[in-house]
Amino acid sequence: DTAVSQTPKYLVTQMGNDKSIKCEQNLGHDTMYWYKQDSKKFLKIMFSYNNKELIINETVPNRFSPKSPDKAHLNLHINSLELGDSAVYFCASSFRGTNSPLHFGNGTRLTVT
Amino acid sequence: DQQVKQNSPSLSVQEGRISILNCDYTNSMFDYFLWYKKYPAEGPTFLISISSIKDKNEDGRFTVFLNKSAKHLSLHIVPSQPGDSAVYFCAAIIQGAQKLVFGQGTRLTINP
């Protein structure tokens, strides 16, 4: 199936831990994104990569580090997790420079206890 | 500062009637607008879009209207069906900027 897939779907961890979320797309897109949906349900962009190059880096704590080994993958590593990091994280992909819509993964619900 | 706002967190409509979801934006630089639909435990999926050079775009039961002077857009679904029950997100972008800005969503419930 052509899709954006992210793992894990659920992630429960304690404060201070380091965790990673993986994302892969097989749609042939050249741009990938991480969005965060907070408790108020807003979807806010965190990062965007185009062909492995960082093009958008919003005001995100540097505990969050995206890594793109190739244009089909964009992983998100989070160091020293805090309670406020609890949210749903969505990966997405698209073609850059066009009006092609973003295709989203099904999200990773991160709960920090 | 939320540049895209959906002021109705929820909307309930009877099956077969029209559903109207509203969205307001503040940034006059936005020139492309999209609606996404989201089911529980899934990611948002693209529904319909409109460029700022148009004031209406239609796709089957879905029509998006854009009023640039009011910085307002709306999504009309007619007739509404039970499968339309979902959260609808309005989004806006400055073309070429690659940064899609979302509203907070409206939960639509279609009652039989």
Side-chain angles (χ1 to χ4, degrees):
Chain A
D1 288 345
T2 55
V4 179
S5 57
Q6 53 183 111
T7 56
K9 190 169 180 64
Y10 300 98
L11 186 52
V12 180
T13 188
Q14 291 184 326
M15 284 175 55
N17 284 348
D18 303 338
K19 290 293 179 185
S20 292
I21 307 172
K22 295 185 176 182
C23 180
E24 176 182 4
Q25 58 93 6
N26 61 5
L27 298 165
H29 291 156
D30 57 3
T31 305
M32 296 185 72
Y33 311 79
W34 279 108
Y35 275 80
K36 177 181 179 180
Q37 186 178 30
D38 59 22
S39 57
K40 294 183 180 178
K41 303 303 180 186
F42 285 105
L43 272 162
K44 294 185 178 178
I45 191 166
M46 301 173 68
F47 302 102
S48 176
Y49 270 75
N50 174 256
N51 285 324
K52 301 194 298 176
E53 178 188 352
L54 182 65
I55 56 171
I56 294 176
N57 185 353
E58 290 295 287
T59 307
V60 176
N62 57 16
R63 298 182 294 104
F64 290 77
S65 54
K67 285 186 173 51
S68 181
D70 55 62
K71 70 174 189 177
H73 295 83
L74 180 61
N75 303 321
L76 183 65
H77 189 75
I78 316 170
N79 289 327
S80 303
L81 278 156
E82 300 177 357
L83 292 177
D85 297 332
S86 296
V88 182
Y89 293 84
F90 288 96
C91 178
S93 69
S94 73
F95 290 111
R96 185 180 186 184
T98 69
N99 291 330
S100 68
L102 271 62
H103 292 250
F104 284 86
N106 285 335
T108 296
R109 181 175 293 277
L110 172 64
T111 304
V112 182
T113 62
Chain B
D1 176 33
Q2 271 309 118
Q3 299 182 68
V4 179
K5 297 179 183 179
Q6 296 175 254
N7 292 318
S8 298
S10 63
L11 176 67
S12 187
V13 174
Q14 195 170 3
E15 182 178 358
R17 306 294 288 267
I18 184 171
S19 296
I20 300 176
L21 297 104
N22 293 303
C23 177
D24 296 295
Y25 62 95
T26 57
N27 189 342
S28 58
M29 297 294 291
F30 288 140
D31 55 6
Y32 197 72
F33 304 88
L34 305 91
W35 284 93
Y36 281 78
K37 176 180 179 179
K38 184 183 180 304
Y39 292 119
E42 294 183 10
T45 56
F46 170 71
L47 191 57
I48 192 169
S49 62
I50 187 167
S51 166
S52 60
I53 62 173
K54 294 185 175 182
D55 56 16
K56 177 183 175 181
N57 188 27
E58 190 173 352
D59 183 2
R61 296 186 298 114
F62 303 91
T63 303
V64 56
F65 295 91
L66 175 62
N67 182 335
K68 280 175 41 181
S69 61
K71 295 191 180 67
H72 177 84
L73 65 156
S74 61
L75 174 68
H76 293 212
I77 306 172
V78 57
S80 299
Q81 298 175 354
D84 296 330
S85 294
V87 177
Y88 289 78
F89 288 95
C90 170
I93 192 169
I94 302 169
Q95 292 188 65
Q98 297 298 127
K99 182 179 167 183
L100 197 57
V101 180
F102 284 86
Q104 68 269 52
T106 296
R107 182 178 299 278
L108 175 65
T109 303
I110 305 302
N111 302 308

